[in-house]
Amino acid sequence: MTSAIDRTPLRARLGVRAVVIVGLLWTLVPLVWMVASSLKSDVDVTAADPEFLFQPTLENYRSLFTGANNLGPYIWHSVLASGISSVLAVAIGALAGYGLAGTRMRAKKHVAFWIISTRMAPIAVVVLPLFLLFRGANLIDSIPGLILAYLTFNLPFAIWLMSAFFAEVPPSVEESALVAGCTRWQAFWHVVLPLTKSGLVTTFVLCLVFSWNDYAFALVFSGPHSQTLPIAADQLVTQTGIDWGQLTAIGTIVVLPMIVAGLAVRRWLVTGLTLGAVTGE
């Protein structure tokens, strides 16, 4: 007869599998339902009894790129604003994170916490000051304005995350490069930075997701010449009704690129997200 102690590992494994299955269902079912709804006709998507077997159609996607509903400019604005802001956040965050990780001042932990605490502030707190600054600088309804808005929230996160990655690099590695004749910049660029490749990828992907999915900043600071995909989705919700077919099609267009990006860099992403867990950074 098997004792309770012998049965514990099996129960633990079954429990973990059950949690994973529930998590996958919780995540995948809404995504699958959204993609399936985007391929349905207007009659099928609004039917009282959902049809699981239906004739797929791309009409919702065609409608998004024809006539007054052309989604092309919205996609281009999202790519520009989120992509450039993420690149800038990673570039500046790597430099600042390297300096923060290498400094020996006593208040380093307090400085690091202050930096990340600016990311914790609600967006509503910074919207009004930024709006006044952007209006004075003529940045409302412009891609540079959106880039700066996204940068205000992405940069503290990038600095804090990259400092944790640089702290993992043994000081002896950089010291060896300096002894070999490298300058401080050469040691950083050719030795230290390549060792934190997973951190760079992780930081870039997370900043990209934050910017790509943003609605609050885009709602306040964008206009006819700079509106992004979340704003385009919001315009389908009107007082006369909701176009569920096109709305789910836009949702699919918004979600799928980020899923593909995450899957493409999943090896570096997993390494990056778990690296600081060992040291408690």
Side-chain angles (χ1 to χ4, degrees):
M1 183 177 180
T2 307
S3 64
I5 297 178
D6 295 332
R7 291 195 302 269
T8 300
L10 178 60
R11 290 178 178 177
R13 290 195 298 271
L14 292 177
V16 170
R17 291 176 182 175
V19 171
V20 171
I21 291 173
V22 171
L24 287 175
L25 291 176
W26 181 270
T27 304
L28 294 179
V29 169
L31 292 176
V32 173
W33 188 271
M34 179 179 65
V35 175
S37 298
S38 70
L39 298 174
K40 291 182 178 181
S41 64
D42 292 338
V43 175
D44 291 334
V45 78
T46 57
D49 297 324
E51 294 288 341
F52 295 99
L53 298 177
F54 58 91
Q55 182 67 32
T57 177
L58 296 177
E59 186 59 33
N60 292 320
Y61 293 94
R62 294 193 193 98
S63 300
L64 291 176
F65 292 94
T66 57
N69 296 325
N70 187 10
L71 205 64
Y74 296 93
I75 296 176
W76 179 239
H77 297 159
S78 291
V79 170
L80 282 179
S82 60
I84 295 176
S85 66
S86 300
V87 170
L88 289 175
V90 172
I92 301 173
L95 294 173
Y98 173 72
L100 183 62
T103 186
R104 296 182 180 179
M105 62 179 179
R106 295 180 179 178
K108 181 171 71 172
K109 290 185 178 180
H110 299 291
V111 172
F113 178 77
W114 173 78
I115 291 174
I116 193 60
S117 66
T118 61
R119 179 64 175 82
M120 301 175 188
I123 292 180
V125 174
V126 300
V127 162
L128 180 58
L130 284 179
F131 180 82
L132 296 177
L133 290 172
F134 285 6
R135 187 178 62 178
N138 197 26
L139 291 175
I140 300 296
D141 189 15
S142 67
I143 298 299
L146 280 180
I147 292 172
L148 289 177
Y150 294 158
L151 200 58
T152 58
F153 262 43
N154 281 337
L155 186 55
F157 175 77
I159 294 173
W160 179 76
L161 191 59
M162 287 306 303
S163 67
F165 284 101
F166 286 121
E168 293 288 331
V169 179
S172 57
V173 174
E174 186 176 4
E175 293 171 357
S176 300
L178 295 174
V179 171
C182 293
T183 63
R184 177 71 67 175
W185 172 255
Q186 290 173 335
F188 166 76
W189 185 259
H190 296 289
V191 178
V192 178
L193 199 61
L195 294 177
T196 59
K197 180 169 61 176
S198 61
L200 295 172
V201 174
T202 301
T203 305
F204 175 78
V205 171
L206 293 178
C207 289
L208 184 66
V209 171
F210 294 153
S211 302
W212 183 267
N213 294 331
D214 170 74
Y215 175 79
F217 280 146
L219 179 64
V220 176
F221 301 124
S222 68
H225 301 94
S226 59
Q227 289 176 333
T228 56
L229 278 172
I231 303 301
D234 181 64
Q235 292 175 353
L236 293 175
V237 181
T238 63
Q239 294 180 348
T240 58
I242 302 175
D243 192 329
W244 289 108
Q246 292 189 30
L247 190 61
T248 54
I250 288 184
T252 302
I253 294 174
V254 172
V255 170
L256 285 185
M258 296 300 101
I259 294 178
V260 172
L263 293 175
V265 298
R266 63 185 181 278
R267 179 166 61 91
W268 295 284
L269 194 60
V270 171
T271 302
L273 290 175
T274 56
L275 184 59
V278 179
T279 60
E281 291 288 349

